[in-house]
């Protein structure tokens, strides 16, 4: 059986006129378990942001360290005050605590009911009503199958369009119907959260009347991707370098013309170059039999880094799937949407093709390190090997 892992993603809309979001998502992975907390602070602005941040961090720390969810809820309810005017808790929250086999729990306190996306459609999770410190809390046991997605949200989602496009906000059944139409097979948790939040933003006519946050976790099969960038320092090490690269499981990607020639020579194949330019600012891709993707080096990596900055931005609502066929977009789809574990093989040799160009090994290494940092921010497990 293929190894499974937990993928997660979130997107937020700030209340119009506010620089800070009154919602906060905190994620921690400890051992076999991933814990995701979405907290919604009362109101908007700085005060709501502080309350949501406190709530999410406290709950995530406790739950990820195996404190019982009931104790976590009791702690936060007793810690945070209640608004005297409206008798409401200063922060509501949803907690997902689940392991790599998809087994765990969901706890919800005053947030909209979570949605389970299972076998191509949205359904309700079975809920058990609990009373903790005189508060009504709901608990759901999770037994996820591969490709299942659990979606949690703040109440900005159900308020979307209220009094503007819709009379009474976005009905839960209408939300589920929209997600059934919009979610496609193999879509990542980040892409699902983004398309949901983007639909809310459309209903708000780009002027959110409430902080709106969507977070999702997905149980999926592990996919390793190995990425070779640049030649090794010693030319005599070429074969060993490629041998290590090719011995890795999963998909293989080669970036750079010199790297492609080294790999092709080792495999006894030829590098064939495409003459198509889907994007005039990105060099064309290549083809090597036995390699999943071959691209140009530094220019493509620069564009990839730009795409990664947008991808990890919580407020960016552009689609997270990449349909363009240029090298950077193809590489982004492999690394951002498909991969769960990424291994870089970074050659530190001086590339003869860069002689006379404003490109040096330091620039390439910084590109790779920054890219690795952004990939880790996406929840990927990243390993850097230098040769």
């Amino acid at each position: 059986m293929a190894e499974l892992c937990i993928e997660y993603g979130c997107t937020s809309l700030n209340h119009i006129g506010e620089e800070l979001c009154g919602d906060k998502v905190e994620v921690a992975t400890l051992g076999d378990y991933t814990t995701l907390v979405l907290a919604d602070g009362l109101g908007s602005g700085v005060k709501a942001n502080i309350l949501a941040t406190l709530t999410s961090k406290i709950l995530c720390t406790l739950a990820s360290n195996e404190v019982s969810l009931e104790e976590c809820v009791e702690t936060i309810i007793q810690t945070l005050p209640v608004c005297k005017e409206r008798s409401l808790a200063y922060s509501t929250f949803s907690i997902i605590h689940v392991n790599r086999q998809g087994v765990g729990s969901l706890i919800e306190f005053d947030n909209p009911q979570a949605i389970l996306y299972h076998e191509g459609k949205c359904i309700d999770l079975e809920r058990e009503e609990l009373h903790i410190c005189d508060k009504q809390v709901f608990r759901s046991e999770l037994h996820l199958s591969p490709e299942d997605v659990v979606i949690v949200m703040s109440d900005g989602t159900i308020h979307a369009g209220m009094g503007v496009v819709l009379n009474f906000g976005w009905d839960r059944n209408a939300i589920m119907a929209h997600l059934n139409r919009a979610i496609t097979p193999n879509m990542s948790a980040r892409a699902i959260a983004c398309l949901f939040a983007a639909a809310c933003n459309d209903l708000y006519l780009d002027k959110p009347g409430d902080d709106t946050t969507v977070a999702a976790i997905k149980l999926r099969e592990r996919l390793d991707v190995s990425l070779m960038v640049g030649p090794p320092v010693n030319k005599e090490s070429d074969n060993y370098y490629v041998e290590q690269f090719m011995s890795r499981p999963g998909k293989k990607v080669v970036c750079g013309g010199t790297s492609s020639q080294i790999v092709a020579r080792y495999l006894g194949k030829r590098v064939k170059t495409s003459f198509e330019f889907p994007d005039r600012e990105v060099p064309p891709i290549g083809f090597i039999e036995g390699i999943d993707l071959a691209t140009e080096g530094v220019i493509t990596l620069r564009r990839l880094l730009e795409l990664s900055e947008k991808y990890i931005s919580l407020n960016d609502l552009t689609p997270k799937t990449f349909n363009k066929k240029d090298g950077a977009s193809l590489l982004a789809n492999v690394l951002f949407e498909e991969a769960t574990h990424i291994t870089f093989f970074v050659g530190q040799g001086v590339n003869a093709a860069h002689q006379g160009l404003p490109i040096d090994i330091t620039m390439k290494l910084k590109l790779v390190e920054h890219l690795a940092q952004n990939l880790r921010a996406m929840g990927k497990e990243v390993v850097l090997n230098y040769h």
Side-chain angles (χ1 to χ4, degrees):
M1 182 178 175
E3 183 179 341
L4 299 175
C5 58
I6 296 293
E7 177 181 81
Y8 57 84
C10 62
T11 302
S12 291
L13 310 176
N14 293 6
H15 187 292
I16 184 171
E18 298 289 353
E19 292 186 14
L20 295 174
C21 185
D23 304 333
K24 178 69 175 178
V25 175
E26 191 75 19
V27 183
T29 299
L30 192 61
D32 204 32
Y33 277 83
T34 295
T35 304
L36 182 149
V37 179
L38 188 159
D40 179 357
L42 184 64
S44 60
V46 175
K47 182 179 178 181
N49 177 268
I50 292 171
L51 290 164
T53 301
L54 279 170
T55 301
S56 60
K57 286 189 176 295
I58 292 170
L59 286 174
C60 197
T61 301
L62 292 173
S64 62
N65 283 280
E66 300 302 329
V67 175
S68 73
L69 293 182
E70 287 78 5
E71 286 184 73
C72 294
V73 173
E74 184 176 345
T75 299
I76 206 70
I77 288 175
Q78 291 181 339
T79 301
L80 293 182
V82 173
C83 176
K84 293 181 180 179
E85 294 179 8
R86 290 178 276 182
S87 296
L88 295 173
Y90 270 115
S91 184
T92 63
F93 51 83
S94 304
I95 311 170
I96 302 173
H97 184 62
V98 64
N99 65 20
R100 293 176 185 174
Q101 289 72 50
V103 178
S105 299
L106 164 70
I107 292 283
E108 298 171 284
F109 173 57
D110 274 5
N111 272 346
Q113 185 178 345
I115 293 171
L116 173 63
Y117 185 79
H118 173 70
E119 295 183 347
K121 65 179 181 180
C122 293
I123 60 176
D124 293 330
L125 286 157
E126 292 186 9
R127 308 169 89 202
E128 175 191 3
E129 184 177 335
L130 306 175
H131 290 273
I132 303 174
C133 296
D134 296 323
K135 301 293 183 182
Q136 184 185 51
V137 178
F138 291 95
R139 178 189 181 108
S140 300
E141 294 297 327
L142 299 177
H143 298 277
L144 305 180
S145 303
E147 303 304 311
D148 279 1
V149 184
V150 179
I151 304 166
V152 292
M153 66 208 83
S154 65
D155 60 6
T157 55
I158 59 175
H159 293 159
M162 184 179 292
V164 183
V165 177
L166 304 170
N167 289 333
F168 304 107
W170 203 7
D171 176 74
R172 176 179 172 78
N173 290 331
I175 290 174
M176 295 170 78
H178 172 74
L179 293 177
N180 286 340
R181 293 190 300 269
I183 297 175
T184 59
N186 303 318
M187 188 174 278
S188 71
R190 176 79 173 95
I192 291 170
C194 184
L195 74 84
F196 188 176
C200 293
N201 191 54
D202 289 342
L203 290 173
Y204 279 123
L205 301 182
D206 296 332
K207 297 178 180 179
D210 193 3
D211 296 304
T212 304
T213 298
V214 180
I217 64 116
K218 180 178 183 178
L219 182 66
R220 53 162 298 185
E221 291 185 1
R222 170 174 175 156
L223 176 63
D224 287 88
V225 173
S226 298
L227 183 72
M228 180 185 288
V229 182
V233 173
N234 298 316
K235 189 173 178 59
E236 295 77 16
S237 302
D238 283 0
N239 284 348
Y240 174 77
Y241 181 46
V242 180
E243 184 180 345
Q244 295 298 305
F245 171 69
M246 294 301 298
S247 67
R248 294 283 306 162
K251 291 192 172 185
K252 310 289 190 300
V253 178
V254 180
C255 293
T258 303
S259 301
S260 295
Q261 293 294 340
I262 292 171
V263 171
R265 186 166 59 247
Y266 175 87
L267 296 175
K269 307 294 181 182
R270 291 179 54 209
V271 180
K272 298 178 182 178
T273 304
S274 171
F275 292 100
E276 296 182 5
F277 282 83
D279 186 324
R280 289 290 171 181
E281 296 182 4
V282 180
I285 63 172
F287 302 93
I288 307 171
E289 188 178 334
I291 299 298
D292 295 283
L293 178 63
T295 74
E296 180 273 341
V298 172
I299 297 174
T300 301
L301 288 176
R302 278 181 183 157
R303 173 60 67 84
L304 181 68
L305 184 58
E306 292 173 6
L307 294 175
S308 72
E309 295 285 354
K310 289 185 67 176
Y311 193 94
I312 63 175
S313 170
L314 295 183
N315 304 112
D316 182 81
L317 296 176
T318 55
K320 302 308 169 197
T321 50
F322 302 87
N323 297 319
K324 293 176 64 177
K325 300 302 180 184
D326 63 277
S329 297
L330 292 170
L331 188 49
N333 217 47
V334 171
L335 296 181
F336 305 168
E337 282 291 290
E338 297 179 9
T340 59
H341 295 67
I342 301 165
T343 303
F344 282 88
F345 289 79
V346 186
Q348 301 182 83
V350 176
N351 196 327
H354 292 164
Q355 295 296 326
L357 297 175
I359 299 172
D360 60 24
I361 186 63
T362 304
M363 178 189 296
K364 183 176 69 176
L365 293 179
K366 285 184 177 178
L367 271 174
V368 170
E369 287 168 5
H370 197 169
L371 180 59
Q373 179 181 330
N374 287 354
L375 289 168
R376 290 188 180 109
M378 297 176 199
K380 314 292 183 183
E381 292 194 21
V382 181
V383 176
L384 295 171
N385 293 319
Y386 294 96
H387 294 266

